[in-house]
């Protein structure tokens, strides 16, 4: 048994068990505490990040013909880091050269590499938090959790799923067929796990690790070399990841080039070239539906796993905790300035208002209470900074500015530079604006005839335009049952009556399947069986036993 | 628990266990014996078939605007059966109308229907044998086995795989997240199995049930209504299947239209229209790579599962049982006149000959011995008829006639009407003819420089043109190891040194994965996890537990 595998097998076994149970589980503590990560972990992480800045990033042995990198922190300042870059042909050739040895290494060795790499990534979670913060604009606490332990959870989840699937059927069998009074026919049979080819991971700007680890680790565990193509504005978190993986690969005696970094520059992107190379058989993609459609039409040689555009909704039908509801919604709208793929956009409220524990509330009262809850959440500047973070992409600020004209402004956005608090508009259900994603800190409170209409609108939108999350506040159990049926048929996960410190935005590895694959918001679910099965095949040889 | 499910749960549990172990297992006896199937089963089956002939086929409640059907037995005579036919739009509408109730029925009810239907199909195996025989040209014994119990095995295998996967993760969970000294956050979570939509099964002429049951039963178990589109020359076996399924559905209180028959006429095929309908989300297809390519290019709204064209090979490097080898190969070439997707075509033999238990044999001696073994096998007319069967499609006879000019004839084909014994030609490895599939009773004995060249040629051909089977005869364990690696990398299952009553053509459900999905001979494997996972999705709802 490979040493790396043996060392981490208890964690792997626990992860496989957790997958089945879907309960709360993680081996990677989410609290950025010195008690857990070491007394000096925070300072060491900051120092580690500082030491990376304004230097060439070191990736020993990586293909390199030139250097690229122009990251700018959304909190201000150039990172000044350059990364090794190489032509697409050179990257493909290097990955292809690594392929046979990586395939031949077998599941245990590769899973061992993945588990060891995840453990090492966990140890550098503070450094990663800084890298994620200063490329995505996430506030530190979120950058730590989402960029560190929660991303590691998603990576481990994918490794566990891949391992469970690769070992699901016997690798060897004795097939003995009775022949009446004659001697039975006896064959020995053996099955090999055969990886499908090169894998391309296309990262996004907002969650470079969380959204990419599932695909990267699923492909590595199943034996496919991975070319990691980061968003040009968020290279560092994935460069750190690639460095850790290459180091672990080398220690295991496997080719480091089983993981490569494909850096490009804005305006000179190499993604289309990479994605359509015949050697590339798997693509994991997070991003817009428009580029998703391009990949579907053009990268037909590869199996495509996507998370794409969607419109997430909240339907408010009634509440037995009106204040708790408003506070919960306010946090979901404000967190990372609405830049999560799980953030709600459309909030459907009956035009005649709703019943609550505080009596009947008219539409305007509900809208005002949500606005007030957002204001309250962001009243303290330090807390506001910790919740909002910064805007990752300047294009989001442009979209935000344009969005102010889409409806009646209930709450205007505020902020300077890359900081932007939620813009909240009132719309009617016929306004076209609420029919598409408006990515960023923009939400629409939409008046609907009644609660059932809101549910129908939300479910229909999920079915047509995609949605990753839906939320419902209601006290009528019969209507809740109808809503569950409607959202289930629309293929969107539903959260009901969330209050307190749990939010519709949150998706926990080992329990929540992130994205259902059942509506246009993506065809892949993190991490179900369908996410790993297309990454390898089984091939048999059999012969008689004499 | 639905009654049908409860009745068959022991069989289901045994099937799931068998999937994992990959040992020899089946609940459906393959021997056409009165002791097993009832003293009068053979006569009743013949009578049942006779009673179907020259009549309209009864499918109660099935959409019908007109009647179609012009099957001709390859053994002579029109079947004279007409089937209910309807426009594509009508079939789609009927399937769509059945979809919600069928989805809502849930896994247990649907799996119960599948298991009950398979049990009933097993009971009519003799009638089915006649139907398969007189549409495919298979001799009776093969028609019984392949059309009856072995097809039922593949159906059950798919149901077991689907059940195992649908129940792989908890359907409900209590997610409890500690909050330090505060009370934990507790959510209840529930997941529904959501089918993806309509499923289309495109049957083939030669194995209408065996090649279609996996897809039909996998889709039904996972909740997708299935439109069964038989080959116009082999409708009856699938019409019988559809009738059994519709009856069982009705008894279970489910819509019969969850299974529909889509009959068409040669020259007026409806397959392209059906395959490109937006409601069709799954397609199971067995047939030529050219139509497979058409489906890939045009039916982009659907997930496609295929078995396509390939070139199967035997490489002869050495033998310690020369007579046994030749007899085994002869049977594989002659069985059903080479019309199995698993039948070998190219036989690579070193030009300098091979070492055997009978001393060195030159190329011509090896070729002559194979020819003699075929002649010997077919010397007795009754046995010849039982092995060869008849040619399913007249186009195969035309191809056979043209093939006689492709090389040096070692054994000419013989037969009358639709009967055709193997044509065996000698080729050199540079002859173009051995680079493509020549479907039917045609095989090429190809002279190669040496055994390793033969292995390399065979593996390369599998990689480029596809192959479902490969066989090797050898006594050199080092070369056998090299061959295993080469064929594994080419993605083709390898059988080594088969002699006696086990043949490279044979693929046993619950043990052999039929088609690897790793080369152009098909993208689907019967039945691995990847065959069932794209047929459904999981959708969650969650809410706090107070």
């Amino acid at each position: 048994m490979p040493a790396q595998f043996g060392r981490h097998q208890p964690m792997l076994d626990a992860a496989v068990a957790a997958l089945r149970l879907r309960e709360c589980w993680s081996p990677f503590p989410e609290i950025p505490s010195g008690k857990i990560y070491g007394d000096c972990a925070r300072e060491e992480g900051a120092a580690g990040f500082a030491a990376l800045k304004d230097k060439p990033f070191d990736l020993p042995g990586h293909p390199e013909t030139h250097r690229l990198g122009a990251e700018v922190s959304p909190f201000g300042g150039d990172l000044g880091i350059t990364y090794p870059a190489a032509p697409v042909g050179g990257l493909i050739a290097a990955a292809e050269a690594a392929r046979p040895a990586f395939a031949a290494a077998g599941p245990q060795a590769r899973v061992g590499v993945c588990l060891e790499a995840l453990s090492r990534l966990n140890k550098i979670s503070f450094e990663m938090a800084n890298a994620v913060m200063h490329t995505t604009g996430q506030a530190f606490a979120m950058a730590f959790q989402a960029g560190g332990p929660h991303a590691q959870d998603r990576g481990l989840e994918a490794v566990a799923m891949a391992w469970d699937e690769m070992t699901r059927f016997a690798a060897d069998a004795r097939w003995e067929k009775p022949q009446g009074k004659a001697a039975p026919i006896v064959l020995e049979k053996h099955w090999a796990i055969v990886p499908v080819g090169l894998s391309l991971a296309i990262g996004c700007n907002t969650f470079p690790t969380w959204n990419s680890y599932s695909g990267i680790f699923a492909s590595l565990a199943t034996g496919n070399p991975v070319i990691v193509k980061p968003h040009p504005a968020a290279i560092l978190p994935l460069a750190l990841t690639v460095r850790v993986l290459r180091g672990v690969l080398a220690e295991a005696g496997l080719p480091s080039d089983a993981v490569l970094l494909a850096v490009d520059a804005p305006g000179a992107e190499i993604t289309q070239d990479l994605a359509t190379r015949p050697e590339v058989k798997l693509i994991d993609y997070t991003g817009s539906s428009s580029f998703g459609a391009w990949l579907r039409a053009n990268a037909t040689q590869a199996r495509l796993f996507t998370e794409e555009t969607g419109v997430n909704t909240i339907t408010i039908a009634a509440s037995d905790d009106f204040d708790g509801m408003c506070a919960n919604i306010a946090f979901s709208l404000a967190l990372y300035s609405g830049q999560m793929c799980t953030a709600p956009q459309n909030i459907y409220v009956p035009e005649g208002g709703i019943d609550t524990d505080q009596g009947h509330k008219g539409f305007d009262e509900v809208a005002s209470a949500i606005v007030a809850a957002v204001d309250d959440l962001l009243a303290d500047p330090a807390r506001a900074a910790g919740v909002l973070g910064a805007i990752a992409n300047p294009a989001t600020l442009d979209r935000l500015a344009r969005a102010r004209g889409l409806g009646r402004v209930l709450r205007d956005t505020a902020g300077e530079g890359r900081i932007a608090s939620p813009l909240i508009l009132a719309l009617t259900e016929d306004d076209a604006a609420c029919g598409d994603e408006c990515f960023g800190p923009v939400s629409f409170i939409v008046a609907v005839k009644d609660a059932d209409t809101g549910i129908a609108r939300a479910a229909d939108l999920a079915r047509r335009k995609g949605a990753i999350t839906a939320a419902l506040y209601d006290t009528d159990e019969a209507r809740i049952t109808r809503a569950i049926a409607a959202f289930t048929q629309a293929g969107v996960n539903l959260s009901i009556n969330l209050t307190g410190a749990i939010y519709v935005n949150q998706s926990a590895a080992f329990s929540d399947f992130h994205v259902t694959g059942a509506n246009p918001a993506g065809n892949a679910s993190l991490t179900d069986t369908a996410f790993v099965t297309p990454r390898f095949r089984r091939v048999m040889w059999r012969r008689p036993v004499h």
Side-chain angles (χ1 to χ4, degrees), chain A:
Chain A
M1 181 187 292
Q4 294 171 338
F5 182 87
R7 196 180 312 145
H8 297 293
Q9 193 169 12
M11 178 169 76
L12 178 65
D13 292 344
V16 169
L19 277 182
R20 296 182 184 281
L21 292 173
R22 314 308 299 177
E23 294 175 356
C24 185
W25 183 82
S26 167
F28 303 121
E30 68 175 12
I31 300 171
S33 157
K35 286 183 195 159
I36 297 166
Y37 284 93
D39 287 340
C40 305
R42 182 178 292 266
E43 293 70 25
E44 286 169 4
F49 172 67
L52 292 167
K53 288 178 72 175
D54 301 313
K55 288 200 186 66
F57 187 88
D58 192 28
L59 264 186
H62 193 279
E64 175 174 352
T65 56
H66 55 298
R67 288 255 156 187
L68 287 174
E71 292 159 295
V72 179
S73 172
F75 297 102
D78 294 340
L79 298 199
I81 308 174
T82 62
Y83 303 89
V88 165
L91 294 170
I92 295 284
E96 277 287 291
R99 194 165 61 80
F102 196 54
Q108 275 197 347
R110 294 189 304 255
V111 166
V113 164
C114 291
L115 298 173
E116 175 65 23
L118 286 165
S119 294
R120 292 192 195 179
L121 286 165
N122 181 249
K123 292 192 175 65
I124 63 165
S125 291
F126 276 95
E127 184 174 341
M128 184 64 81
N130 283 277
V132 169
M133 177 178 178
H134 289 288
T135 48
T136 68
Q138 291 174 25
F140 183 82
M142 181 191 236
F144 180 89
Q145 293 195 342
H150 290 177
Q152 294 146 20
D153 281 343
R154 286 290 175 193
L156 176 58
E157 180 187 60
V159 173
M161 191 74 243
W163 173 254
D164 197 37
E165 189 55 36
M166 288 191 288
T167 57
R168 184 175 198 156
F169 307 113
D172 308 283
R174 180 185 166 94
W175 185 83
E176 185 167 335
K177 185 173 182 179
Q179 298 292 298
K181 289 171 186 161
I185 296 168
V186 187
L187 297 180
E188 57 172 305
K189 301 186 180 187
H190 308 271
W191 290 270
I193 299 292
V194 179
V196 300
L198 302 192
S199 186
L200 174 65
I202 304 175
C204 65
N205 192 352
T206 47
F207 291 91
T209 58
W210 197 96
N211 269 102
S212 290
Y213 276 14
S214 303
I216 292 171
F217 283 92
S219 276
L220 289 177
T222 53
N224 307 283
V226 178
I227 298 176
V228 179
K229 162 64 189 74
H231 189 283
I235 302 169
L236 183 58
L238 288 173
L240 286 168
T241 304
V242 167
R243 184 156 74 187
V244 166
L245 276 163
R246 289 173 62 88
V248 176
L249 282 163
E251 288 175 31
L254 294 173
S256 296
D257 285 352
V259 184
L260 294 165
L261 189 68
V263 178
D264 58 9
E269 286 85 357
I270 59 174
T271 317
Q272 295 185 338
D273 192 0
L274 276 170
T276 51
R277 292 292 300 230
E279 298 87 349
V280 172
K281 301 296 188 193
L282 300 166
I283 299 176
D284 289 277
Y285 166 70
T286 307
S288 71
S289 292
S290 56
F291 193 66
W294 187 92
L295 288 169
R296 267 185 288 281
N298 293 280
T300 51
Q301 87 292 351
R303 183 66 66 103
L304 191 58
F305 303 86
T306 74
E307 177 183 321
E308 305 176 54
T309 312
V311 187
N312 303 319
T313 63
I314 300 174
T315 304
I316 301 179
S319 175
D320 59 7
D321 178 4
F322 187 65
D323 290 344
M325 175 186 84
C326 292
N328 190 277
I329 292 173
F331 190 84
S332 284
L333 300 182
L335 184 62
Y336 188 28
S337 292
Q339 297 171 98
M340 301 179 74
C341 57
T342 51
Q345 175 180 301
N346 290 3
I347 304 172
Y348 293 102
V349 179
E351 60 193 12
I354 61 166
D355 291 329
T356 80
D357 57 319
Q358 300 176 17
H360 189 83
K361 297 281 186 183
F363 176 86
D364 287 338
E365 289 175 290
V366 174
S368 299
I370 292 170
V371 167
V374 173
D375 290 340
D376 189 51
L377 175 68
L378 303 178
D380 175 68
R383 186 164 68 180
V387 171
L388 294 174
I391 300 295
N393 192 321
T396 302
L397 293 172
D398 300 339
R399 191 181 308 113
L400 178 63
R402 289 194 305 273
R404 295 176 70 251
L406 293 175
R408 177 164 58 96
V409 175
L410 297 172
R411 183 187 189 283
D412 206 351
T413 181
E416 291 184 7
R418 293 280 196 93
I419 312 296
S421 73
L423 169 70
I424 304 177
L425 304 173
L427 295 184
T428 67
E429 56 179 306
D430 296 324
D431 281 327
C434 59
D436 283 300
E437 184 181 73
C438 184
F439 184 82
V442 182
S443 43
F444 306 125
I445 303 184
V446 184
V448 286
K449 188 161 71 71
D450 54 26
D452 276 303
T453 304
I455 291 164
R457 285 267 168 174
D460 178 62
L461 196 56
R463 185 182 297 106
R464 287 186 299 109
K465 296 298 181 83
I468 295 177
T469 63
L472 172 71
Y473 289 90
D474 204 350
T475 56
D476 178 337
E477 289 299 328
R479 192 165 50 204
I480 290 173
T481 300
R482 291 197 297 277
I484 290 169
F487 287 108
T488 298
Q489 283 166 35
V492 59
N493 292 326
L494 175 66
S495 297
I496 303 167
N497 293 337
L498 295 189
T499 57
I502 180 78
Y503 305 98
V504 65
N505 321 39
Q506 293 174 317
S507 173
F510 301 103
S511 182
D512 297 312
F513 292 102
H514 177 70
V515 184
T516 64
N519 70 49
N523 71 7
S525 185
L526 306 181
T527 299
D528 67 2
T529 317
F531 191 73
V532 302
T533 52
R535 298 177 198 261
F536 68 93
R537 291 296 184 175
R538 282 185 172 79
V539 182
M540 173 186 66
W541 61 273
R542 62 182 185 182
R543 67 192 291 181
V545 177
H546 294 296

